[in-house]
Amino acid sequence: MPLTLSGPGIRRLSASGSDVPFVVRVATRNNDNARRADEVLLVDDYTAPSLEGYRAVLVRAPGKSRAYPPDTYLLDARYSYLTDGDVLRLDPPRRSINVLYRRSSRSNALLVTERCDNYCIMCSQPPKDADDAGVVDELLQAISLMDPGTEEIGITGGEPSLLGSRLIELVKALKQSLPSAAVHILTNGRGFARSELAAALGALGHPDLMLGVPLYSALPEDHDYVVQSKGAYDETIRGVLNLKRHRLRVELRFVIHRNTYAGLPMFAEFVRRNLLFVDHVALMGLELMGFARANLEQLWIDPVEYADELRAAIDVLDGAGVPCSIYNHQLCTLPIELHGFARRSISDWKNEYVAECDECAKREACGGFFVSSKLRRSRSIRRYVASVGEEEAERG
Amino acid sequence: MSSSFHDAVEAVVDLRVYRLAALKKAAYRVAARTTVVITVRDEQHAVLCFRFPHGVDADGARERMRRFYEELLDQELREQVAEETSSLRLLILAQAFSNTDLVRRD
Amino acid sequence: MALARPFAHRSAYAPPPGYRLLPFRFGQLDHARYLATNDVGEMVVLSRADVRAFVERRLDPSSSIYRELKAKHFLFDDDARVALDLLAIKARTRAEPIARLTALHIFVVTLRCDHACHYCQVSRQNEDRASFDMSWAHAERALQIAFSSPNTDLKLEFQGGEPLLNFSLIRRIVDRSLELNAAAGKNLTFVIASNLSRVTDEVLAYCRDHGIAFSTSLDGPQDLHDQNRPLPGRSSHAVTMAGIAHVRRSLGQDGVSALMTTTEASLSRAEEIVDEYVRCGFDSIFLRSLSPYGFAAKKGLLRSYSVEDWLAFYRRGFERILEVNRGGRVFREEFATVLLQKMYDPQGTGYVDLQSPSGMGIGALVYNYDGRIYASDEARMLAAMGDDTFVLGSLEDATFRSIMVSDQLADVLDTTLLESAPMCSDCPFLPFCGADPAFHQATSRDLLGHKAFSAFCEKQMGVLRYLIGLLHESASDAGTIMRGWIRSCP
């Protein structure tokens, strides 16, 4: 179900309030929690003046009262999904809200920087050269507010390895505050070409850490073109080697589009020969956001057109015993023998289904669409009809 | 009626074009079909003396000599490749066998 | 949306002019094509003109041959010097298994036998001479040596004569090895190479309880098998069939595997031999080549047919095997599987008889009934012909260490490193090949032989040309079938 996670969303109702951003956890009812100083009370309308001690108050609808405590804000309806345990960054002067963490979600990710040393032609989160020195501190604070039972969380950007030792600090905080959480870092790996960073990360001994590293070809000229940076291929592979030297788990991610699909079989062979020790390979469909949207004509290709290349690549990887998956592809766009490799990979907050999916027999198994896929869809989108045999199996 | 080609055939090779090592290796490879004896006449020339097994006729002899020259061209190319790559091979093997921290698949 | 900076065209990332060659070997594959390989077994099939263009730096970076050569590490440039690191890792991975040392330990528990096979490679004695049995004292010393090998895998294979004629010793050896393994913790497997004429329920019960499998001989259909392996008053084929069934009832379908021996009579019957294996429920066959040892050499059988005849036999058998696979049954050719592992598996293959340096001693050790230690099975056959080149010591006084550091073994290993052998050192088939010092010693009194005259080399190149040709025939499904074989291999 698609959600908005950030943007304009708050309007101050109280006479006074903070003129700097702050990080808080959502609470929806009064409690004796000593953490009120770090929480924002979320209520339908503000009637009772006696709820003291909260850092801020969010109301869904303005009430009759005029006596709002400081830092009382009206919450935009787009954020009505917020609930206990969610963690927010509120920026009152800009009237914006940023949902950093939803307790009920399996798709939480910390955006640690918007800077990046790559510039991928299909980047869904185009880099910005913003000064983000304060971001890590805010995230460290947010981590301390998250549910200790959190099962998985991501670190993304921009390029997280640009943070250097602050990245180590973040992962250490996750290890301490969210001990059950599997951590997935999306990185181009280049920062790990220096062995010190890989060594520091390995030394943390995080119990469940995986680094997802994009690699778009067996050849440097192809990869460097896609990421628009000469020398990126060399550094990325060196980074992968260093990460493995320090016993960290690495996943390779290959985004399939018009500029990369032809190299899929050669890529798979290259991985089999040279990077057989990686822990997973994900072959991914395009998300039509950011630069991908801007470069749509150059990048878009109907998945049915690369079925042969995809099949060949999976055959090589699977045959070599490399765990592999297909992400972001609807089952009806894939040859049936590849369905077992498809995963429900799209983050909940940008995930949707279409009319054909309503009666589709494979809906439960299928990951559906990106919201942004409205722009371009495969001509093979259709519902699967349960065959007689399948129906009988269900009855039995 | 074909008769055995008993004669020895001589040819002169320019050592500025074909390395002696290439000549020797080519001769070694074709040894089962042709015996090639190499004599170095001077800095620039080597003399090749071809002999053939019993029962090989003139056509057969010509074919075997052709095969020798084909092999010689390949050997010359191999010498060039070796010249350019042998130090790299040493570098790669040295790194391979000095590396104590292996990249392992868990 | 305004872009922070515009995207550069693909040409901005084109490879720099000029490239550097990485070490590789090349040679003729067939009348039209050449083969190039590197040290770690990657291969490219190309024209000779392309080889020259490649070496002379005339390849166009946008050409598919340039791209293939680059992806497979035959060339590199300054944009990707990481190629050197990757090659080093691959070289290390490929060489690593050598350092694990000897996994295969063969115990010749007796020389007595009840069969009289024409091609028997070991002089066999008739049944009633007990002085041809291995002593327990020797067996125990052999076990000490075996367990001193650092390899975590240990395979004990029992041979003869007919080993079941000395089953009581086998039992003692297995019991003792399990005791030793309680502390050693190795991955221990047992095989008995037997003609199955002596298999009883009691023997099978013990084998089932101790995880012992069988290996037997099956040369082909009944008339061929019986012709090779005469048994007075009986059909040895019938005995083998009954034995296989008997073993399977106790140990399951995989409780027994089969090996064939190729004789002149086999050469025209490749398809029938394959069919016989399929019929008997096996999932593979090793189409073996001619052996120069034992009675075969004495009777001059080696000279009665040429390598070309055998290669034709191999190709026909292989074609039949491909047909069987097309019919839906996974059935492997074992020799091809070994070669395919060398081509596709990062660690190559553990097959002892095709290694560089040779697998003698470091891959296998043979403990003979008379106390002598041989470097391989073939070494024992050679000794039976009077050649002691590959005797590594005696069970009276040898230790694993003394064998491994002996001058004898060092000489063999030193000489059989193909990378420094004439002809082999620049042969494109080198990564897929290995040394066979026993063969060359038997046929030319030299560990390496002169490869231009070597039937072994002719055979190797014949099979490799054939298989590599098949792998590169895009219209054929042979490549898919073959790659499926190594996929299903443990």
PDB file of all heavy atoms in Angstrom, chain C residues 53-69:
ATOM      1  N   ALA C  53      45.501 -10.737 -34.405  1.00  0.00           N
ATOM      2  CA  ALA C  53      45.015  -9.371 -34.171  1.00  0.00           C
ATOM      3  C   ALA C  53      45.060  -9.050 -32.682  1.00  0.00           C
ATOM      4  O   ALA C  53      45.424  -7.943 -32.278  1.00  0.00           O
ATOM      5  CB  ALA C  53      43.601  -9.225 -34.710  1.00  0.00           C
ATOM      6  N   PHE C  54      44.712 -10.020 -31.881  1.00  0.00           N
ATOM      7  CA  PHE C  54      44.728  -9.849 -30.434  1.00  0.00           C
ATOM      8  C   PHE C  54      46.132  -9.536 -29.950  1.00  0.00           C
ATOM      9  O   PHE C  54      46.363  -8.552 -29.240  1.00  0.00           O
ATOM     10  CB  PHE C  54      44.165 -11.113 -29.783  1.00  0.00           C
ATOM     11  CG  PHE C  54      44.359 -11.189 -28.294  1.00  0.00           C
ATOM     12  CD1 PHE C  54      44.104 -10.102 -27.479  1.00  0.00           C
ATOM     13  CD2 PHE C  54      44.786 -12.374 -27.706  1.00  0.00           C
ATOM     14  CE1 PHE C  54      44.278 -10.180 -26.103  1.00  0.00           C
ATOM     15  CE2 PHE C  54      44.952 -12.461 -26.330  1.00  0.00           C
ATOM     16  CZ  PHE C  54      44.703 -11.366 -25.534  1.00  0.00           C
ATOM     17  N   VAL C  55      47.104 -10.366 -30.357  1.00  0.00           N
ATOM     18  CA  VAL C  55      48.477 -10.187 -29.894  1.00  0.00           C
ATOM     19  C   VAL C  55      49.072  -8.891 -30.428  1.00  0.00           C
ATOM     20  O   VAL C  55      49.852  -8.219 -29.747  1.00  0.00           O
ATOM     21  CB  VAL C  55      49.352 -11.391 -30.301  1.00  0.00           C
ATOM     22  CG1 VAL C  55      50.808 -11.159 -29.915  1.00  0.00           C
ATOM     23  CG2 VAL C  55      48.835 -12.663 -29.657  1.00  0.00           C
ATOM     24  N   GLU C  56      48.673  -8.530 -31.645  1.00  0.00           N
ATOM     25  CA  GLU C  56      49.242  -7.330 -32.267  1.00  0.00           C
ATOM     26  C   GLU C  56      48.474  -6.070 -31.917  1.00  0.00           C
ATOM     27  O   GLU C  56      48.693  -5.028 -32.529  1.00  0.00           O
ATOM     28  CB  GLU C  56      49.319  -7.534 -33.782  1.00  0.00           C
ATOM     29  CG  GLU C  56      50.350  -8.602 -34.165  1.00  0.00           C
ATOM     30  CD  GLU C  56      50.266  -9.004 -35.630  1.00  0.00           C
ATOM     31  OE1 GLU C  56      49.484  -8.370 -36.385  1.00  0.00           O
ATOM     32  OE2 GLU C  56      50.969  -9.951 -36.017  1.00  0.00           O
ATOM     33  N   ARG C  57      47.559  -6.170 -30.922  1.00  0.00           N
ATOM     34  CA  ARG C  57      46.821  -4.998 -30.448  1.00  0.00           C
ATOM     35  C   ARG C  57      45.939  -4.367 -31.508  1.00  0.00           C
ATOM     36  O   ARG C  57      45.717  -3.156 -31.499  1.00  0.00           O
ATOM     37  CB  ARG C  57      47.762  -3.876 -29.930  1.00  0.00           C
ATOM     38  CG  ARG C  57      48.789  -4.322 -28.979  1.00  0.00           C
ATOM     39  CD  ARG C  57      48.183  -4.687 -27.642  1.00  0.00           C
ATOM     40  NE  ARG C  57      49.204  -4.654 -26.614  1.00  0.00           N
ATOM     41  CZ  ARG C  57      50.110  -5.584 -26.421  1.00  0.00           C
ATOM     42  NH1 ARG C  57      50.123  -6.673 -27.169  1.00  0.00           N
ATOM     43  NH2 ARG C  57      51.019  -5.428 -25.493  1.00  0.00           N
ATOM     44  N   ARG C  58      45.405  -5.179 -32.388  1.00  0.00           N
ATOM     45  CA  ARG C  58      44.566  -4.611 -33.442  1.00  0.00           C
ATOM     46  C   ARG C  58      43.083  -4.856 -33.187  1.00  0.00           C
ATOM     47  O   ARG C  58      42.244  -4.539 -34.010  1.00  0.00           O
ATOM     48  CB  ARG C  58      44.957  -5.184 -34.814  1.00  0.00           C
ATOM     49  CG  ARG C  58      46.300  -4.653 -35.320  1.00  0.00           C
ATOM     50  CD  ARG C  58      46.625  -5.121 -36.729  1.00  0.00           C
ATOM     51  NE  ARG C  58      47.042  -6.524 -36.764  1.00  0.00           N
ATOM     52  CZ  ARG C  58      46.309  -7.507 -37.272  1.00  0.00           C
ATOM     53  NH1 ARG C  58      45.117  -7.265 -37.767  1.00  0.00           N
ATOM     54  NH2 ARG C  58      46.773  -8.744 -37.281  1.00  0.00           N
ATOM     55  N   LEU C  59      42.722  -5.405 -32.060  1.00  0.00           N
ATOM     56  CA  LEU C  59      41.315  -5.676 -31.807  1.00  0.00           C
ATOM     57  C   LEU C  59      40.549  -4.378 -31.518  1.00  0.00           C
ATOM     58  O   LEU C  59      41.028  -3.523 -30.782  1.00  0.00           O
ATOM     59  CB  LEU C  59      41.143  -6.620 -30.620  1.00  0.00           C
ATOM     60  CG  LEU C  59      41.485  -8.089 -30.840  1.00  0.00           C
ATOM     61  CD1 LEU C  59      41.160  -8.879 -29.579  1.00  0.00           C
ATOM     62  CD2 LEU C  59      40.714  -8.672 -32.021  1.00  0.00           C
ATOM     63  N   ASP C  60      39.369  -4.281 -32.060  1.00  0.00           N
ATOM     64  CA  ASP C  60      38.497  -3.137 -31.829  1.00  0.00           C
ATOM     65  C   ASP C  60      37.777  -3.341 -30.504  1.00  0.00           C
ATOM     66  O   ASP C  60      37.118  -4.371 -30.304  1.00  0.00           O
ATOM     67  CB  ASP C  60      37.489  -3.062 -32.982  1.00  0.00           C
ATOM     68  CG  ASP C  60      36.521  -1.898 -32.841  1.00  0.00           C
ATOM     69  OD1 ASP C  60      36.406  -1.344 -31.722  1.00  0.00           O
ATOM     70  OD2 ASP C  60      35.875  -1.562 -33.835  1.00  0.00           O
ATOM     71  N   PRO C  61      37.880  -2.384 -29.570  1.00  0.00           N
ATOM     72  CA  PRO C  61      37.255  -2.555 -28.257  1.00  0.00           C
ATOM     73  C   PRO C  61      35.750  -2.780 -28.297  1.00  0.00           C
ATOM     74  O   PRO C  61      35.182  -3.267 -27.327  1.00  0.00           O
ATOM     75  CB  PRO C  61      37.565  -1.239 -27.542  1.00  0.00           C
ATOM     76  CG  PRO C  61      38.721  -0.663 -28.246  1.00  0.00           C
ATOM     77  CD  PRO C  61      38.649  -1.128 -29.659  1.00  0.00           C
ATOM     78  N   SER C  62      35.107  -2.446 -29.388  1.00  0.00           N
ATOM     79  CA  SER C  62      33.667  -2.682 -29.424  1.00  0.00           C
ATOM     80  C   SER C  62      33.338  -4.060 -29.982  1.00  0.00           C
ATOM     81  O   SER C  62      32.177  -4.465 -29.997  1.00  0.00           O
ATOM     82  CB  SER C  62      32.979  -1.606 -30.258  1.00  0.00           C
ATOM     83  OG  SER C  62      33.455  -1.662 -31.586  1.00  0.00           O
ATOM     84  N   SER C  63      34.348  -4.809 -30.409  1.00  0.00           N
ATOM     85  CA  SER C  63      34.082  -6.126 -30.999  1.00  0.00           C
ATOM     86  C   SER C  63      33.770  -7.139 -29.907  1.00  0.00           C
ATOM     87  O   SER C  63      34.244  -7.032 -28.781  1.00  0.00           O
ATOM     88  CB  SER C  63      35.294  -6.595 -31.803  1.00  0.00           C
ATOM     89  OG  SER C  63      36.405  -6.789 -30.941  1.00  0.00           O
ATOM     90  N   SER C  64      32.993  -8.148 -30.280  1.00  0.00           N
ATOM     91  CA  SER C  64      32.606  -9.140 -29.274  1.00  0.00           C
ATOM     92  C   SER C  64      33.799  -9.982 -28.835  1.00  0.00           C
ATOM     93  O   SER C  64      33.852 -10.427 -27.692  1.00  0.00           O
ATOM     94  CB  SER C  64      31.473 -10.032 -29.794  1.00  0.00           C
ATOM     95  OG  SER C  64      31.903 -10.726 -30.937  1.00  0.00           O
ATOM     96  N   ILE C  65      34.779 -10.174 -29.716  1.00  0.00           N
ATOM     97  CA  ILE C  65      35.931 -10.976 -29.324  1.00  0.00           C
ATOM     98  C   ILE C  65      36.774 -10.222 -28.289  1.00  0.00           C
ATOM     99  O   ILE C  65      37.250 -10.795 -27.313  1.00  0.00           O
ATOM    100  CB  ILE C  65      36.773 -11.421 -30.557  1.00  0.00           C
ATOM    101  CG1 ILE C  65      37.909 -12.365 -30.123  1.00  0.00           C
ATOM    102  CG2 ILE C  65      37.355 -10.248 -31.317  1.00  0.00           C
ATOM    103  CD1 ILE C  65      37.440 -13.693 -29.581  1.00  0.00           C
ATOM    104  N   TYR C  66      36.918  -8.919 -28.460  1.00  0.00           N
ATOM    105  CA  TYR C  66      37.640  -8.108 -27.465  1.00  0.00           C
ATOM    106  C   TYR C  66      36.943  -8.204 -26.112  1.00  0.00           C
ATOM    107  O   TYR C  66      37.565  -8.423 -25.076  1.00  0.00           O
ATOM    108  CB  TYR C  66      37.694  -6.649 -27.932  1.00  0.00           C
ATOM    109  CG  TYR C  66      38.219  -5.680 -26.898  1.00  0.00           C
ATOM    110  CD1 TYR C  66      39.570  -5.341 -26.849  1.00  0.00           C
ATOM    111  CD2 TYR C  66      37.355  -5.100 -25.958  1.00  0.00           C
ATOM    112  CE1 TYR C  66      40.037  -4.454 -25.890  1.00  0.00           C
ATOM    113  CE2 TYR C  66      37.827  -4.221 -24.998  1.00  0.00           C
ATOM    114  CZ  TYR C  66      39.163  -3.896 -24.969  1.00  0.00           C
ATOM    115  OH  TYR C  66      39.632  -3.021 -24.021  1.00  0.00           O
ATOM    116  N   ARG C  67      35.625  -8.055 -26.138  1.00  0.00           N
ATOM    117  CA  ARG C  67      34.863  -8.061 -24.898  1.00  0.00           C
ATOM    118  C   ARG C  67      34.958  -9.413 -24.194  1.00  0.00           C
ATOM    119  O   ARG C  67      35.107  -9.498 -22.969  1.00  0.00           O
ATOM    120  CB  ARG C  67      33.413  -7.678 -25.181  1.00  0.00           C
ATOM    121  CG  ARG C  67      33.264  -6.200 -25.566  1.00  0.00           C
ATOM    122  CD  ARG C  67      31.897  -5.908 -26.171  1.00  0.00           C
ATOM    123  NE  ARG C  67      30.828  -6.166 -25.240  1.00  0.00           N
ATOM    124  CZ  ARG C  67      30.441  -5.327 -24.287  1.00  0.00           C
ATOM    125  NH1 ARG C  67      31.027  -4.156 -24.151  1.00  0.00           N
ATOM    126  NH2 ARG C  67      29.449  -5.658 -23.483  1.00  0.00           N
ATOM    127  N   GLU C  68      34.911 -10.471 -24.982  1.00  0.00           N
ATOM    128  CA  GLU C  68      35.009 -11.809 -24.385  1.00  0.00           C
ATOM    129  C   GLU C  68      36.400 -12.021 -23.780  1.00  0.00           C
ATOM    130  O   GLU C  68      36.535 -12.524 -22.656  1.00  0.00           O
ATOM    131  CB  GLU C  68      34.721 -12.884 -25.454  1.00  0.00           C
ATOM    132  CG  GLU C  68      34.618 -14.286 -24.861  1.00  0.00           C
ATOM    133  CD  GLU C  68      34.412 -15.378 -25.902  1.00  0.00           C
ATOM    134  OE1 GLU C  68      34.264 -15.048 -27.098  1.00  0.00           O
ATOM    135  OE2 GLU C  68      34.407 -16.558 -25.502  1.00  0.00           O
ATOM    136  N   LEU C  69      37.436 -11.628 -24.516  1.00  0.00           N
ATOM    137  CA  LEU C  69      38.802 -11.802 -24.022  1.00  0.00           C
ATOM    138  C   LEU C  69      39.030 -10.981 -22.746  1.00  0.00           C
ATOM    139  O   LEU C  69      39.745 -11.397 -21.842  1.00  0.00           O
ATOM    140  CB  LEU C  69      39.810 -11.389 -25.101  1.00  0.00           C
ATOM    141  CG  LEU C  69      39.925 -12.352 -26.285  1.00  0.00           C
ATOM    142  CD1 LEU C  69      40.676 -11.704 -27.443  1.00  0.00           C
ATOM    143  CD2 LEU C  69      40.613 -13.650 -25.868  1.00  0.00           C
TER     144      LEU C  69
END
